[in-house]
Amino acid sequence: MTSMAAHTTKMKKKLVLYTFPPVPKSYSFSPFGLKAESFLRINKIPYETCYTSSSGKNKTIPYLRIFNGNQSTDLDDFKEVSDSNEMIAYLLKDTDFGTDACQENLTKEQKAISHAFLRMLEEHTSQTNFYYRYHLHMPAYCEATQLRERVFMGDKSKLGNMIFGFFKKGIVKWWKQKATARGFMRYSSPDVVWSMAGEDLQSLEDLFVSAPDQK
C-alpha cells in the first residue's frame, strides 16, 4: 500500500520518505519514522512522503530515496538510504540541504553530551518503551493507534487483517525474547523498568533546563 503526500519546492535533489501511514495524533506509529520526518520538518527540508508497508533494501521502514531535482520518482535511478540515523547523517553531510546550523555553533563538549544522550535514548529509553508497548500492552496500543485499520487496512482487506493478526502475536513473542535478552524480565516488576525510563527523561529535562539560552 502506498500513497504520496508532497512537501516540496524546487531543489537540486528530490527526497521521498517511505514510511508507515499516520495514526491518530501522530504522523507515524514508528519512532524511527517520527525521528526521520521530524528532522526534515525542523530543518525545513522539502520532501515527499510515500506511505507504505513495503520495506526498503535493508528490509526496514522508514527509508529515504534521493532523486535528481527534475527526475520522476517512477524511475529506478535513485540513491536509497535506510535507517533513520543514516538518513540524518546523510542530510547533515550533504550541503545541498542546508543543515549546517544544526551543529556549527556546538562545542566539543556539547557534541559529546549530545552523542551520549542520543545513545541513551535509542539504546535504553526507547527499548523500555518498546517493552512496555509491544510486550505488556500490545492490545491497548493497537486500539489507540488504530493500527489494524490505518497501517494494515484490516477493515477493508482480509489479507491485511490476517497479516495484522500475525504481526500482533509475533511482535509480542519477539519482544518477550528481546526483553529477556536485555535483562528487563529479571526485575521484580515491570514498574522497575518503567521507572528507569522516567529517570532517563528526567535527566533529559534537566539538561534542557540547564542549557544556556541560544536566542
Side-chain angles (χ1 to χ4, degrees):
M1 184 281 297
T2 60
S3 61
M4 299 291 289
H7 309 263
T8 59
T9 57
K10 287 187 177 181
M11 284 190 71
K12 293 180 182 178
K13 296 175 182 176
K14 182 186 296 183
L15 301 180
V16 181
L17 177 67
Y18 291 77
T19 187
F20 291 109
V23 295
K25 300 182 180 180
S26 177
Y27 43 86
S28 180
F29 83 92
S30 163
F32 309 109
L34 278 172
K35 179 172 63 173
E37 190 161 2
S38 294
F39 185 87
L40 290 164
R41 290 184 176 202
I42 290 169
N43 288 281
K44 297 181 171 60
I45 300 174
Y47 69 101
E48 294 180 6
T49 305
C50 180
Y51 297 128
T52 183
S53 54
S54 300
S55 58
K57 64 180 183 180
N58 286 358
K59 309 301 181 185
T60 59
I61 302 174
Y63 50 97
L64 192 67
R65 287 181 178 173
I66 303 97
F67 301 83
N68 291 328
N70 297 321
Q71 183 180 343
S72 171
T73 56
D74 294 331
L75 301 177
D76 292 331
D77 183 18
F78 55 80
K79 176 182 177 65
E80 183 173 306
V81 183
S82 300
D83 184 90
S84 55
N85 283 333
E86 290 187 21
M87 292 180 213
I88 291 173
Y90 170 82
L91 295 169
L92 286 171
K93 185 177 180 180
D94 194 318
T95 56
D96 285 345
F97 302 110
T99 55
D100 296 347
C102 289
Q103 303 184 85
E104 63 181 356
N105 295 321
L106 295 180
T107 65
K108 286 186 177 181
E109 180 184 16
Q110 289 172 327
K111 288 180 180 179
I113 292 173
S114 174
H115 176 83
F117 267 86
L118 179 62
R119 289 294 176 265
M120 176 193 76
L121 290 169
E122 293 199 339
E123 302 300 332
H124 185 263
T125 317
S126 64
Q127 302 305 312
T128 61
N129 176 56
F130 295 153
Y131 168 61
Y132 187 86
R133 172 194 292 180
Y134 296 133
H135 178 58
L136 299 178
H137 300 286
M138 187 61 178
Y141 173 71
C142 290
E143 181 178 353
T145 57
Q146 299 175 14
L147 209 60
R148 183 179 76 93
E149 298 83 3
R150 295 294 187 99
V151 177
F152 295 91
M153 305 302 163
D155 56 333
K156 299 177 181 179
S157 165
K158 290 183 178 180
L159 178 60
N161 192 52
M162 182 177 69
I163 294 173
F164 169 72
F166 285 125
F167 171 82
K168 184 178 178 181
K169 293 179 181 178
I171 202 167
V172 172
K173 181 179 180 180
W174 182 59
W175 253 99
K176 181 177 182 179
Q177 295 172 345
K178 290 200 69 173
T180 301
R182 284 185 171 271
F184 292 162
M185 304 294 285
R186 73 173 183 266
Y187 294 107
S188 59
S189 166
D191 291 338
V192 177
V193 179
W194 199 233
S195 68
M196 290 192 292
E199 291 168 358
D200 288 354
L201 296 176
Q202 183 61 58
S203 68
L204 187 63
E205 180 181 339
D206 293 343
L207 176 67
F208 288 154
V209 170
S210 63
D213 192 347
Q214 297 295 322
K215 293 182 180 179

